[in-house]
Amino acid sequence: MTKKNQKILHLSAVFGILLISFFAWNTFVLFPIKIFVVLLHEMSHGIVAVFTGGKIISIEVTEYLGGITTTEGGNIILIASSGYLGSVAIGTLLFYSSFDKKLSIWFTTGLAILLVIFTANFLIGTISQITAILAAVILIISPRYFNAIVNQILLQAIGLVSVFYVLIDMKEDLLSGNAYQTDSNLLESLTSIPSSFIAIFWISISIIVIYFLVKKLVMAK
């Protein structure tokens, strides 16, 4: 296979996963990646809770792609915002680490260790725990033993879907008019900033980041 054909296949695989996520988010087509992305979102809440002086009580992700993080203390505004920020930040780091094997090994190993720590101390529910352990194993194995292209596709796809999740979260939690408590609703109650403004802000951030990630992917040699 020529280098050009490899690049076309590579781009097709990554964009294919992203498109499937967009059109089939509520199906089981990409269930493992999606539930892992939701777990990263919830873990981000917990991490910021600890860094702002609070503590994590529990984290659970369900088979319906919903997540609940229970914390105590800390800066509630930063904690509520951190799920979106974490999805964007972790997704971006996973994506960029895929272009450098050494960086890929360091970052995925660190994330895998974090997943094990959370599993041992905070994750409740079988779905949450199984997802975290399987993800930790794959993150350890992928940059070390998978084909370089396969590792790149995996990390880039997860990274893009993680950033894309902010758009999905806004659509499912806000624009669809669901009545349950969401991060954006909580932020509205804490800051008096309309949840619609918060949605527009994070949707804009997500779109901008996705644009630069896609541009990086297309331009990469």
Side-chain angles (χ1 to χ4, degrees), residues 150-177:
V150 173
N151 179 60
Q152 283 191 334
I153 291 172
L154 177 65
L155 297 186
Q156 289 163 6
I158 294 174
L160 279 168
V161 173
S162 183
V163 178
F164 179 72
Y165 175 65
V166 175
L167 296 176
I168 295 296
D169 200 45
M170 289 293 95
K171 175 182 176 297
E172 296 297 314
D173 292 352
L174 178 63
L175 302 181
S176 297

mmCIF file of all heavy atoms in Angstrom, residues 150-177:
data_model
loop_
_atom_site.group_PDB
_atom_site.id
_atom_site.type_symbol
_atom_site.label_atom_id
_atom_site.label_comp_id
_atom_site.label_asym_id
_atom_site.label_seq_id
_atom_site.Cartn_x
_atom_site.Cartn_y
_atom_site.Cartn_z
ATOM 1 N N VAL A 150 -2.382 1.992 13.890
ATOM 2 C CA VAL A 150 -3.541 1.593 14.694
ATOM 3 C C VAL A 150 -3.592 2.403 15.990
ATOM 4 O O VAL A 150 -4.657 2.880 16.406
ATOM 5 C CB VAL A 150 -3.501 0.083 15.016
ATOM 6 C CG1 VAL A 150 -4.604 -0.298 16.002
ATOM 7 C CG2 VAL A 150 -3.621 -0.735 13.734
ATOM 8 N N ASN A 151 -2.429 2.572 16.624
ATOM 9 C CA ASN A 151 -2.366 3.370 17.858
ATOM 10 C C ASN A 151 -2.782 4.810 17.585
ATOM 11 O O ASN A 151 -3.533 5.414 18.369
ATOM 12 C CB ASN A 151 -0.951 3.325 18.430
ATOM 13 C CG ASN A 151 -0.816 4.165 19.691
ATOM 14 O OD1 ASN A 151 -1.483 3.931 20.692
ATOM 15 N ND2 ASN A 151 0.052 5.167 19.640
ATOM 16 N N GLN A 152 -2.307 5.362 16.481
ATOM 17 C CA GLN A 152 -2.673 6.735 16.135
ATOM 18 C C GLN A 152 -4.174 6.876 15.917
ATOM 19 O O GLN A 152 -4.803 7.807 16.436
ATOM 20 C CB GLN A 152 -1.922 7.184 14.876
ATOM 21 C CG GLN A 152 -0.474 7.558 15.112
ATOM 22 C CD GLN A 152 0.138 8.241 13.898
ATOM 23 O OE1 GLN A 152 -0.302 8.036 12.773
ATOM 24 N NE2 GLN A 152 1.145 9.050 14.127
ATOM 25 N N ILE A 153 -4.737 5.961 15.154
ATOM 26 C CA ILE A 153 -6.174 6.013 14.872
ATOM 27 C C ILE A 153 -6.975 5.919 16.171
ATOM 28 O O ILE A 153 -7.936 6.666 16.389
ATOM 29 C CB ILE A 153 -6.591 4.893 13.906
ATOM 30 C CG1 ILE A 153 -6.003 5.161 12.506
ATOM 31 C CG2 ILE A 153 -8.107 4.753 13.833
ATOM 32 C CD1 ILE A 153 -6.207 4.021 11.532
ATOM 33 N N LEU A 154 -6.566 5.020 17.052
ATOM 34 C CA LEU A 154 -7.278 4.825 18.315
ATOM 35 C C LEU A 154 -7.254 6.091 19.172
ATOM 36 O O LEU A 154 -8.302 6.574 19.622
ATOM 37 C CB LEU A 154 -6.659 3.661 19.091
ATOM 38 C CG LEU A 154 -7.255 3.383 20.473
ATOM 39 C CD1 LEU A 154 -8.703 2.942 20.350
ATOM 40 C CD2 LEU A 154 -6.438 2.320 21.207
ATOM 41 N N LEU A 155 -6.052 6.646 19.389
ATOM 42 C CA LEU A 155 -5.925 7.824 20.250
ATOM 43 C C LEU A 155 -6.565 9.060 19.621
ATOM 44 O O LEU A 155 -7.178 9.882 20.318
ATOM 45 C CB LEU A 155 -4.449 8.096 20.565
ATOM 46 C CG LEU A 155 -3.711 7.001 21.343
ATOM 47 C CD1 LEU A 155 -2.302 7.473 21.704
ATOM 48 C CD2 LEU A 155 -4.473 6.608 22.601
ATOM 49 N N GLN A 156 -6.420 9.184 18.311
ATOM 50 C CA GLN A 156 -7.023 10.336 17.630
ATOM 51 C C GLN A 156 -8.544 10.257 17.652
ATOM 52 O O GLN A 156 -9.225 11.268 17.856
ATOM 53 C CB GLN A 156 -6.499 10.421 16.195
ATOM 54 C CG GLN A 156 -5.045 10.851 16.112
ATOM 55 C CD GLN A 156 -4.411 10.548 14.767
ATOM 56 O OE1 GLN A 156 -5.076 10.112 13.833
ATOM 57 N NE2 GLN A 156 -3.108 10.773 14.659
ATOM 58 N N ALA A 157 -9.076 9.061 17.462
ATOM 59 C CA ALA A 157 -10.525 8.893 17.482
ATOM 60 C C ALA A 157 -11.085 9.172 18.873
ATOM 61 O O ALA A 157 -12.075 9.899 19.026
ATOM 62 C CB ALA A 157 -10.894 7.479 17.037
ATOM 63 N N ILE A 158 -10.448 8.622 19.897
ATOM 64 C CA ILE A 158 -10.912 8.866 21.266
ATOM 65 C C ILE A 158 -10.800 10.348 21.604
ATOM 66 O O ILE A 158 -11.705 10.936 22.219
ATOM 67 C CB ILE A 158 -10.101 8.029 22.277
ATOM 68 C CG1 ILE A 158 -10.365 6.538 22.072
ATOM 69 C CG2 ILE A 158 -10.464 8.421 23.711
ATOM 70 C CD1 ILE A 158 -9.497 5.642 22.924
ATOM 71 N N GLY A 159 -9.691 10.956 21.201
ATOM 72 C CA GLY A 159 -9.491 12.375 21.474
ATOM 73 C C GLY A 159 -10.562 13.244 20.838
ATOM 74 O O GLY A 159 -11.142 14.118 21.490
ATOM 75 N N LEU A 160 -10.848 12.998 19.565
ATOM 76 C CA LEU A 160 -11.861 13.781 18.859
ATOM 77 C C LEU A 160 -13.251 13.553 19.449
ATOM 78 O O LEU A 160 -14.029 14.495 19.622
ATOM 79 C CB LEU A 160 -11.861 13.430 17.377
ATOM 80 C CG LEU A 160 -10.785 14.110 16.531
ATOM 81 C CD1 LEU A 160 -10.705 13.473 15.148
ATOM 82 C CD2 LEU A 160 -11.056 15.605 16.400
ATOM 83 N N VAL A 161 -13.580 12.311 19.762
ATOM 84 C CA VAL A 161 -14.894 12.023 20.332
ATOM 85 C C VAL A 161 -15.034 12.668 21.712
ATOM 86 O O VAL A 161 -16.114 13.144 22.068
ATOM 87 C CB VAL A 161 -15.131 10.498 20.417
ATOM 88 C CG1 VAL A 161 -16.434 10.197 21.172
ATOM 89 C CG2 VAL A 161 -15.200 9.884 19.029
ATOM 90 N N SER A 162 -13.944 12.717 22.477
ATOM 91 C CA SER A 162 -13.985 13.358 23.789
ATOM 92 C C SER A 162 -14.314 14.842 23.664
ATOM 93 O O SER A 162 -15.135 15.378 24.421
ATOM 94 C CB SER A 162 -12.645 13.174 24.510
ATOM 95 O OG SER A 162 -12.694 13.725 25.818
ATOM 96 N N VAL A 163 -13.668 15.520 22.716
ATOM 97 C CA VAL A 163 -13.965 16.936 22.488
ATOM 98 C C VAL A 163 -15.374 17.085 21.941
ATOM 99 O O VAL A 163 -16.129 17.980 22.350
ATOM 100 C CB VAL A 163 -12.946 17.555 21.509
ATOM 101 C CG1 VAL A 163 -13.287 19.026 21.244
ATOM 102 C CG2 VAL A 163 -11.526 17.453 22.074
ATOM 103 N N PHE A 164 -15.746 16.202 21.044
ATOM 104 C CA PHE A 164 -17.066 16.235 20.441
ATOM 105 C C PHE A 164 -18.163 16.001 21.477
ATOM 106 O O PHE A 164 -19.296 16.483 21.326
ATOM 107 C CB PHE A 164 -17.135 15.171 19.343
ATOM 108 C CG PHE A 164 -18.451 15.084 18.643
ATOM 109 C CD1 PHE A 164 -18.850 16.078 17.758
ATOM 110 C CD2 PHE A 164 -19.300 14.005 18.857
ATOM 111 C CE1 PHE A 164 -20.073 15.999 17.114
ATOM 112 C CE2 PHE A 164 -20.520 13.917 18.212
ATOM 113 C CZ PHE A 164 -20.908 14.923 17.335
ATOM 114 N N TYR A 165 -17.841 15.285 22.549
ATOM 115 C CA TYR A 165 -18.816 14.975 23.598
ATOM 116 C C TYR A 165 -19.422 16.233 24.209
ATOM 117 O O TYR A 165 -20.573 16.220 24.668
ATOM 118 C CB TYR A 165 -18.170 14.117 24.691
ATOM 119 C CG TYR A 165 -19.082 13.867 25.870
ATOM 120 C CD1 TYR A 165 -20.250 13.120 25.712
ATOM 121 C CD2 TYR A 165 -18.782 14.381 27.129
ATOM 122 C CE1 TYR A 165 -21.093 12.893 26.789
ATOM 123 C CE2 TYR A 165 -19.627 14.159 28.201
ATOM 124 C CZ TYR A 165 -20.773 13.413 28.027
ATOM 125 O OH TYR A 165 -21.612 13.193 29.103
ATOM 126 N N VAL A 166 -18.658 17.329 24.239
ATOM 127 C CA VAL A 166 -19.201 18.589 24.765
ATOM 128 C C VAL A 166 -20.425 19.010 23.954
ATOM 129 O O VAL A 166 -21.441 19.448 24.509
ATOM 130 C CB VAL A 166 -18.125 19.694 24.746
ATOM 131 C CG1 VAL A 166 -18.720 21.034 25.186
ATOM 132 C CG2 VAL A 166 -16.960 19.316 25.659
ATOM 133 N N LEU A 167 -20.345 18.861 22.627
ATOM 134 C CA LEU A 167 -21.488 19.185 21.778
ATOM 135 C C LEU A 167 -22.670 18.264 22.091
ATOM 136 O O LEU A 167 -23.820 18.714 22.189
ATOM 137 C CB LEU A 167 -21.112 19.047 20.304
ATOM 138 C CG LEU A 167 -20.045 19.992 19.750
ATOM 139 C CD1 LEU A 167 -19.737 19.623 18.306
ATOM 140 C CD2 LEU A 167 -20.508 21.428 19.834
ATOM 141 N N ILE A 168 -22.388 16.983 22.220
ATOM 142 C CA ILE A 168 -23.430 16.012 22.524
ATOM 143 C C ILE A 168 -24.056 16.316 23.875
ATOM 144 O O ILE A 168 -25.280 16.270 24.049
ATOM 145 C CB ILE A 168 -22.853 14.590 22.520
ATOM 146 C CG1 ILE A 168 -22.365 14.206 21.120
ATOM 147 C CG2 ILE A 168 -23.885 13.578 23.023
ATOM 148 C CD1 ILE A 168 -23.456 14.134 20.085
ATOM 149 N N ASP A 169 -23.220 16.630 24.856
ATOM 150 C CA ASP A 169 -23.705 16.907 26.206
ATOM 151 C C ASP A 169 -24.653 18.100 26.202
ATOM 152 O O ASP A 169 -25.698 18.088 26.856
ATOM 153 C CB ASP A 169 -22.513 17.185 27.132
ATOM 154 C CG ASP A 169 -22.874 16.998 28.591
ATOM 155 O OD1 ASP A 169 -23.526 15.992 28.913
ATOM 156 O OD2 ASP A 169 -22.521 17.864 29.408
ATOM 157 N N MET A 170 -24.278 19.131 25.436
ATOM 158 C CA MET A 170 -25.138 20.306 25.348
ATOM 159 C C MET A 170 -26.471 19.962 24.674
ATOM 160 O O MET A 170 -27.538 20.382 25.107
ATOM 161 C CB MET A 170 -24.449 21.410 24.552
ATOM 162 C CG MET A 170 -23.272 22.077 25.255
ATOM 163 S SD MET A 170 -23.741 23.038 26.712
ATOM 164 C CE MET A 170 -23.487 21.835 28.022
ATOM 165 N N LYS A 171 -26.395 19.176 23.612
ATOM 166 C CA LYS A 171 -27.608 18.808 22.880
ATOM 167 C C LYS A 171 -28.528 17.952 23.746
ATOM 168 O O LYS A 171 -29.722 18.230 23.871
ATOM 169 C CB LYS A 171 -27.246 18.047 21.608
ATOM 170 C CG LYS A 171 -28.456 17.530 20.840
ATOM 171 C CD LYS A 171 -28.020 16.744 19.633
ATOM 172 C CE LYS A 171 -29.220 16.143 18.906
ATOM 173 N NZ LYS A 171 -29.972 15.178 19.730
ATOM 174 N N GLU A 172 -27.951 16.911 24.343
ATOM 175 C CA GLU A 172 -28.760 15.982 25.113
ATOM 176 C C GLU A 172 -29.282 16.590 26.412
ATOM 177 O O GLU A 172 -30.422 16.372 26.797
ATOM 178 C CB GLU A 172 -27.938 14.719 25.432
ATOM 179 C CG GLU A 172 -27.536 13.927 24.208
ATOM 180 C CD GLU A 172 -28.737 13.382 23.463
ATOM 181 O OE1 GLU A 172 -29.650 12.838 24.110
ATOM 182 O OE2 GLU A 172 -28.771 13.518 22.230
ATOM 183 N N ASP A 173 -28.422 17.355 27.102
ATOM 184 C CA ASP A 173 -28.789 17.877 28.415
ATOM 185 C C ASP A 173 -29.530 19.200 28.373
ATOM 186 O O ASP A 173 -30.321 19.503 29.247
ATOM 187 C CB ASP A 173 -27.528 18.060 29.280
ATOM 188 C CG ASP A 173 -26.884 16.736 29.650
ATOM 189 O OD1 ASP A 173 -27.504 15.695 29.361
ATOM 190 O OD2 ASP A 173 -25.795 16.741 30.225
ATOM 191 N N LEU A 174 -29.268 20.005 27.346
ATOM 192 C CA LEU A 174 -29.839 21.348 27.328
ATOM 193 C C LEU A 174 -30.814 21.556 26.180
ATOM 194 O O LEU A 174 -31.987 21.838 26.394
ATOM 195 C CB LEU A 174 -28.710 22.384 27.235
ATOM 196 C CG LEU A 174 -29.153 23.841 27.157
ATOM 197 C CD1 LEU A 174 -29.900 24.249 28.415
ATOM 198 C CD2 LEU A 174 -27.948 24.747 26.942
ATOM 199 N N LEU A 175 -30.352 21.398 24.966
ATOM 200 C CA LEU A 175 -31.174 21.734 23.810
ATOM 201 C C LEU A 175 -32.360 20.796 23.638
ATOM 202 O O LEU A 175 -33.364 21.171 23.040
ATOM 203 C CB LEU A 175 -30.308 21.727 22.540
ATOM 204 C CG LEU A 175 -29.111 22.693 22.577
ATOM 205 C CD1 LEU A 175 -28.335 22.620 21.278
ATOM 206 C CD2 LEU A 175 -29.573 24.120 22.838
ATOM 207 N N SER A 176 -32.269 19.586 24.165
ATOM 208 C CA SER A 176 -33.383 18.648 24.058
ATOM 209 C C SER A 176 -34.438 18.887 25.120
ATOM 210 O O SER A 176 -35.484 18.257 25.125
ATOM 211 C CB SER A 176 -32.877 17.194 24.155
ATOM 212 O OG SER A 176 -32.029 16.915 23.069
ATOM 213 N N GLY A 177 -34.132 19.781 26.082
ATOM 214 C CA GLY A 177 -35.121 20.148 27.088
ATOM 215 C C GLY A 177 -35.314 19.129 28.191
ATOM 216 O O GLY A 177 -36.380 19.060 28.810
#
